[in-house]
Amino acid sequence: MATPGYHGRYLRVDVSSGVVESVDLDPCDLRAFVGGVGLGALLLWREAPRGVEPLSPEAPIVFCGSPLVGTPLTTSAKFAVVAKSPQTLRITDSLSSSHFAIELKRAGVDALVVRGRASSLSVVFLRDGEVEVRAMPELAGLSPAATAGRLPGHRVIACGPAGERGVLFANLGNDGRHAGRGGLGAVLAAKNVKAVAVRGTGRVPVADPEGVVAAARDLSARSFGPATLKYRELGTVANVLVLNRLRALPTRNFSETEFADAEKVSGEALRAGGKVHRASCAACTIGCEHVFEDASGAGGRLEYESLFALGPLCGISDRGVILRAARVCDETGMDTMSAGGTVAFLMECRERGIAAEGEFDGVDLRFG
């Protein structure tokens, strides 16, 4: 019998040969390495050859769920993507919350390990434990969202054109959410894999179904309490003014900790500047995600991290510019924090005279 919360196996897919193997998981390991990051790290350690290059065919990328995924517990729809980072050359993990996590669990596996390099741009399809690697070169250059639109009936995680071009902070998009850190989009694209598309109809084994339902009801009720009020009303961008008052708002490539124009880019200013749509991650009752509109009526998701990285960190106080920058990152498949940090670093290099003005194709790359 499988360990409650787990299926007790993962799939190893070699996209070079098309060979798929089902590998049993030891119940002792499932208890010792809990959650997507824990189990994912164990699988990466076992599957990655010693000293492997992050973008080589031999380097595995692991998509891993956790024991609570697929249960009615609020905020439980999280999964981890684990690989060796091309950005740091060390292990990296990135968590994301979306229906992809639930679908992966319903497909009857605890993790999916992808290795090799496909002969042409491909998609890995996982349907109720069965895997097909299908060449789909027509997806080249598409955004993660557009890629998902070409794969109806599945939950999809995909890289964008940044991953295809080897950008070392390329991310993976899924349901408008992101596995953002460490260059995971570049790792998947290096395998000539555009996306993983999953469909599942199974159930998650639990030890005490009635107890889980009771705990879920209690947790959902408490999720509407005062501790989450600011996130329901404004989202994580509510932290901008608080951290600015504490002199802890990253500004001008971390050379300052207070931004004079913080009120212009605060969550409150974003809300006042245009229509706001509120949304929730999969299996979450809190609903802290907010989509803000700029003057043109175009909308964009913003979290605190994206806001500070594309705004104060670069000395930018124009809300419309920040929203457009975030959309560009989403459409191309780039991590917003790494993108903002890279631009801010280059801005400081320019202002210090370390980089010449002509190095940036005529862009006036200074703070602000």
Side-chain angles (χ1 to χ4, degrees):
M1 179 181 175
T3 302
Y6 293 100
H7 295 292
R9 70 178 185 127
Y10 70 95
L11 295 180
R12 179 192 295 132
V13 181
D14 188 324
V15 295
S16 298
S17 62
V19 172
V20 180
E21 299 172 89
S22 177
V23 184
D24 291 338
L25 288 163
D26 189 323
C28 294
D29 288 338
L30 294 175
R31 291 183 178 276
F33 297 89
V34 178
V37 174
L39 181 57
L42 175 67
L43 296 181
L44 183 67
W45 177 68
R46 288 179 174 172
E47 295 280 347
R50 185 181 181 89
V52 69
E53 291 294 324
L55 301 181
S56 69
E58 297 78 21
I61 183 169
V62 183
F63 301 86
C64 194
S66 64
L68 300 184
V69 175
T71 70
L73 292 162
T74 188
T75 73
S76 64
K78 283 184 167 59
F79 68 102
V81 187
V82 187
K84 189 173 183 180
S85 168
Q87 193 175 31
T88 66
L89 303 184
R90 289 167 169 79
I91 185 173
T92 189
D93 66 82
S94 190
L95 292 173
S96 191
S97 300
S98 77
H99 289 280
F100 180 87
I102 299 172
E103 210 73 11
L104 181 66
K105 198 67 170 286
R106 293 182 66 191
V109 298
D110 296 314
L112 183 70
V113 177
V114 179
R115 302 194 305 190
R117 177 176 171 82
S119 57
S120 62
L121 191 65
S122 300
V123 173
V124 175
F125 289 91
L126 168 61
R127 304 184 185 95
D128 284 328
E130 300 295 323
V131 173
E132 174 195 2
V133 181
R134 186 191 306 170
M136 299 189 71
E138 66 272 18
L139 300 179
L142 295 183
S143 69
T147 300
R150 299 284 188 93
L151 304 169
H154 298 78
R155 295 295 181 176
V156 176
I157 187 167
C159 65
E164 295 175 42
R165 297 185 184 190
V167 174
L168 297 184
F169 48 87
N171 66 16
L172 292 168
N174 55 106
D175 284 355
R177 311 294 297 173
H178 309 281
R181 313 295 283 154
L184 294 165
V187 175
L188 188 67
K191 303 187 177 310
N192 227 358
V193 173
K194 179 68 174 178
V196 176
V198 182
R199 186 169 66 213
T201 58
R203 299 178 66 85
V204 178
V206 296
D208 180 6
E210 292 182 1
V212 169
V213 170
R217 287 172 177 164
D218 175 64
L219 191 60
S220 293
R222 287 191 283 129
S223 73
F224 291 108
T228 62
L229 180 61
K230 72 173 182 178
Y231 296 114
R232 295 198 307 274
E233 290 190 342
L234 205 53
T236 59
V237 293
N239 293 327
V240 170
L241 292 182
V242 174
L243 291 173
N244 198 57
R245 285 196 297 270
L246 295 172
R247 303 190 71 173
L249 183 65
T251 301
R252 296 176 183 265
N253 198 33
F254 296 97
S255 64
E256 301 172 19
T257 59
E258 191 174 12
F259 189 46
D261 289 327
E263 289 192 1
K264 294 182 180 179
V265 298
S266 66
E268 290 81 356
L270 284 165
R271 181 172 58 187
K275 189 176 181 181
V276 180
H277 307 280
R278 185 172 161 227
S280 296
C281 292
C284 180
T285 52
I286 297 172
C288 72
E289 183 179 277
H290 288 68
V291 179
F292 302 95
E293 289 187 357
D294 60 21
S296 70
R301 290 179 173 87
L302 270 186
E303 302 291 344
Y304 163 73
E305 292 84 358
S306 301
L307 179 55
F308 90 70
L310 299 170
L313 197 66
C314 296
I316 301 293
S317 59
D318 187 319
R319 299 188 300 275
V321 168
I322 296 170
L323 282 165
R324 288 198 299 277
R327 285 200 300 273
V328 167
C329 287
D330 289 351
E331 290 165 4
T332 56
M334 289 191 295
D335 175 50
T336 52
M337 282 184 278
S338 297
T342 300
V343 172
F345 172 78
L346 292 173
M347 285 175 162
E348 184 167 359
C349 288
R350 173 72 185 91
E351 295 216 342
R352 287 173 176 262
I354 299 171
E357 183 176 356
E359 291 187 35
F360 304 112
D361 296 325
V363 176
D364 185 13
L365 200 66
R366 294 180 293 173
F367 287 122

PDB file of all heavy atoms in Angstrom, residues 2 7 36 56 324:
ATOM      1  N   ALA A   2       0.506   2.246  -0.780  1.00  0.00           N
ATOM      2  CA  ALA A   2       1.273   3.481  -0.858  1.00  0.00           C
ATOM      3  C   ALA A   2       1.212   4.240   0.459  1.00  0.00           C
ATOM      4  O   ALA A   2       0.239   4.150   1.207  1.00  0.00           O
ATOM      5  CB  ALA A   2       0.730   4.353  -1.987  1.00  0.00           C
ATOM      6  N   HIS A   7       1.869   8.459  -3.999  1.00  0.00           N
ATOM      7  CA  HIS A   7       1.589   7.303  -4.844  1.00  0.00           C
ATOM      8  C   HIS A   7       2.700   6.260  -4.767  1.00  0.00           C
ATOM      9  O   HIS A   7       2.525   5.127  -5.201  1.00  0.00           O
ATOM     10  CB  HIS A   7       1.413   7.742  -6.302  1.00  0.00           C
ATOM     11  CG  HIS A   7       0.223   8.622  -6.514  1.00  0.00           C
ATOM     12  ND1 HIS A   7      -1.081   8.176  -6.385  1.00  0.00           N
ATOM     13  CD2 HIS A   7       0.132   9.943  -6.838  1.00  0.00           C
ATOM     14  CE1 HIS A   7      -1.916   9.175  -6.629  1.00  0.00           C
ATOM     15  NE2 HIS A   7      -1.212  10.250  -6.907  1.00  0.00           N
ATOM     16  N   GLY A  36       7.732  18.892  -1.814  1.00  0.00           N
ATOM     17  CA  GLY A  36       8.276  18.945  -3.158  1.00  0.00           C
ATOM     18  C   GLY A  36       9.767  19.208  -3.194  1.00  0.00           C
ATOM     19  O   GLY A  36      10.509  18.596  -3.959  1.00  0.00           O
ATOM     20  N   SER A  56      23.368  20.382 -19.949  1.00  0.00           N
ATOM     21  CA  SER A  56      23.714  19.203 -20.731  1.00  0.00           C
ATOM     22  C   SER A  56      22.530  18.243 -20.782  1.00  0.00           C
ATOM     23  O   SER A  56      21.645  18.281 -19.922  1.00  0.00           O
ATOM     24  CB  SER A  56      24.920  18.499 -20.114  1.00  0.00           C
ATOM     25  OG  SER A  56      24.566  17.918 -18.864  1.00  0.00           O
ATOM     26  N   ARG A 324       4.327  47.318 -17.435  1.00  0.00           N
ATOM     27  CA  ARG A 324       4.738  46.856 -18.757  1.00  0.00           C
ATOM     28  C   ARG A 324       5.963  45.953 -18.660  1.00  0.00           C
ATOM     29  O   ARG A 324       6.061  44.946 -19.358  1.00  0.00           O
ATOM     30  CB  ARG A 324       5.017  48.051 -19.678  1.00  0.00           C
ATOM     31  CG  ARG A 324       3.769  48.799 -20.118  1.00  0.00           C
ATOM     32  CD  ARG A 324       4.021  49.658 -21.344  1.00  0.00           C
ATOM     33  NE  ARG A 324       5.035  50.684 -21.114  1.00  0.00           N
ATOM     34  CZ  ARG A 324       4.794  51.873 -20.545  1.00  0.00           C
ATOM     35  NH1 ARG A 324       3.564  52.171 -20.132  1.00  0.00           N
ATOM     36  NH2 ARG A 324       5.763  52.742 -20.405  1.00  0.00           N
TER      37      ARG A 324
END
